[in-house]
Amino acid sequence: MNVKSRARIGAVAGAAAIALGTMAAPAFANPPAGQYRVLAGVGSDTTQDVVNGLGDAVDSGTLIASYDATGSATIKTRATGCQIPRPNGSSAGINALRNAVDNNTGCLDFARSSRGVADTSSTDLTWIPFAKDAVTFAVRSDSALPKALTKAQLVSIYTCDTTTLNGVALTPLLPQAGSGTRSFFLAQLGLTEDTFGSCVDDTVQEHNGEALDSAGDIAPYSIAQYIAQGNEIDGVVDRRGSAVLGSIDGVDPQLADGTLNTAFPFNRDVYNVVPTAKLGDPVIAAAFVGTSSKVCLQSAVINTYGFGTIATCGATTLKGES
């Protein structure tokens, strides 16, 4: 079986597991069928679980609806109309939000994003940070691949200059197109969509450790997602499989107590993206804007899902087109 086919099967298996988890605990994923909340959001796989948790915690679960990145082909976000394709990933969620704004559909109010602004040609959208994450690499626990690498080694692996380590043939993996983790990880390595190597399989659903099914597999992984998947939270599907997180440049991804090391070199803010024109809307503002917003006040929920809190929660300075 070729690499890309093998990875696609892993991604499908992970998606099936997500669907089963959604059925088992619907209050923590897509709102139950027939229930519609005031604000509807889509996008990032990285932050889907924490925003689902925030949606249940804020205003007794009546304000924020967060729709998972994978599952059924379409989602319905309003009681009337608004049956839309399910966006998978930060860029897909942002594009869906832009489409809703441009066409005045009213179907979406925000997008989950694990990346910052990619296009600054306008200020139509605002990226509102709410938590801290970091990204490292994952390998199989039973693999002879090193569990500690340098940034330079990762660059060499993802440009296909290094093809074996410790006698194991490498299979570098990247998340699916449109993933915020994909774009962030490449940027941390100083690479782009045009400069990562041809040996890289870029078809795997992000944060799905079950797709690492051979000894040479290596993939980027959100540390917060990894922590949440191991915390036995209702509605969070444990997709880690045999994957374990590695250290980069001698820095461990987790602290001794198992929480996120916010000083990890590849760290990032994560965001809820809203139309800039809606920042003055009292519902949007109350939910997302400022350190006293309803989302920013939920530090316990944010920590439970593996993320770190940030002093800039609720800031509205970061603006762009996509």
Side-chain angles (χ1 to χ4, degrees):
M1 185 181 296
N2 66 44
V3 170
K4 288 188 179 293
S5 295
R6 189 262 318 144
R8 280 196 293 267
I9 290 171
V12 169
I18 295 168
L20 289 172
T22 299
M23 292 171 62
F28 286 83
N30 308 311
Q35 290 189 20
Y36 304 97
R37 299 176 184 177
V38 180
L39 302 176
V42 295
S44 170
D45 179 303
T46 302
T47 64
Q48 69 177 23
D49 294 321
V50 66
V51 179
N52 290 344
L54 290 166
D56 285 338
V58 169
D59 289 359
S60 302
T62 61
L63 180 62
I64 298 172
S66 176
Y67 295 83
D68 283 357
T70 59
S72 58
T74 62
I75 55 174
K76 185 173 174 59
T77 62
R78 305 294 186 209
T80 302
C82 292
Q83 188 88 22
I84 63 173
R86 183 188 296 272
N88 181 4
S90 299
S91 294
I94 291 165
N95 288 337
L97 176 63
R98 289 173 58 230
N99 179 70
V101 172
D102 291 346
N103 293 288
N104 197 30
T105 66
C107 294
L108 294 173
D109 302 287
F110 71 96
R112 304 184 304 268
S113 183
S114 62
R115 65 159 173 85
V117 177
D119 179 354
T120 57
S121 62
S122 83
T123 58
D124 289 350
L125 299 177
T126 297
W127 275 247
I128 305 178
F130 72 94
K132 179 70 73 178
D133 185 24
V135 175
T136 190
F137 70 92
V139 296
R140 289 183 60 88
S141 60
D142 56 1
S143 170
L145 290 181
K147 309 308 188 284
L149 294 172
T150 65
K151 176 180 175 179
Q153 286 177 303
L154 287 168
V155 172
S156 187
I157 290 168
Y158 277 87
T159 53
C160 306
D161 292 326
T162 296
T163 57
T164 62
L165 278 174
N166 290 354
V168 180
L170 286 158
T171 308
L173 310 176
L174 276 177
Q176 78 285 355
S179 158
T181 296
R182 171 184 173 131
S183 61
F184 174 79
F185 184 70
L186 288 175
Q188 294 302 299
L189 298 183
L191 301 177
T192 69
E193 291 291 333
D194 296 324
T195 58
F196 72 79
S198 60
C199 69
V200 177
D201 176 353
D202 64 340
T203 66
V204 177
Q205 179 65 34
E206 59 189 315
H207 318 316
N208 177 20
E210 294 169 351
L212 277 68
D213 59 6
S214 67
D217 290 348
I218 180 171
Y221 215 113
S222 158
I223 300 169
Q225 258 288 338
Y226 190 91
I227 293 170
Q229 289 175 25
N231 275 352
E232 298 184 351
I233 305 168
D234 286 345
V236 177
V237 178
D238 186 353
R239 297 176 280 164
R240 295 173 301 165
S242 296
V244 292
L245 301 183
S247 65
I248 297 177
D249 290 335
V251 182
D252 290 329
Q254 293 171 258
L255 301 177
D257 62 0
T259 60
L260 171 70
N261 182 359
T262 56
F264 195 76
F266 293 6
N267 72 80
R268 59 179 174 176
D269 287 348
V270 292
Y271 308 88
N272 289 308
V273 182
V274 304
T276 300
K278 293 285 189 180
L279 286 174
D281 179 281
V283 178
I284 292 283
F288 301 118
V289 177
T291 55
S292 61
S293 64
K294 294 177 180 181
V295 163
C296 290
L297 290 176
Q298 295 292 333
S299 57
V301 173
I302 290 169
N303 292 154
T304 295
Y305 284 84
F307 292 84
T309 54
I310 52 174
T312 56
C313 188
T316 58
T317 55
L318 188 60
K319 294 178 169 59
E321 170 70 15
S322 67

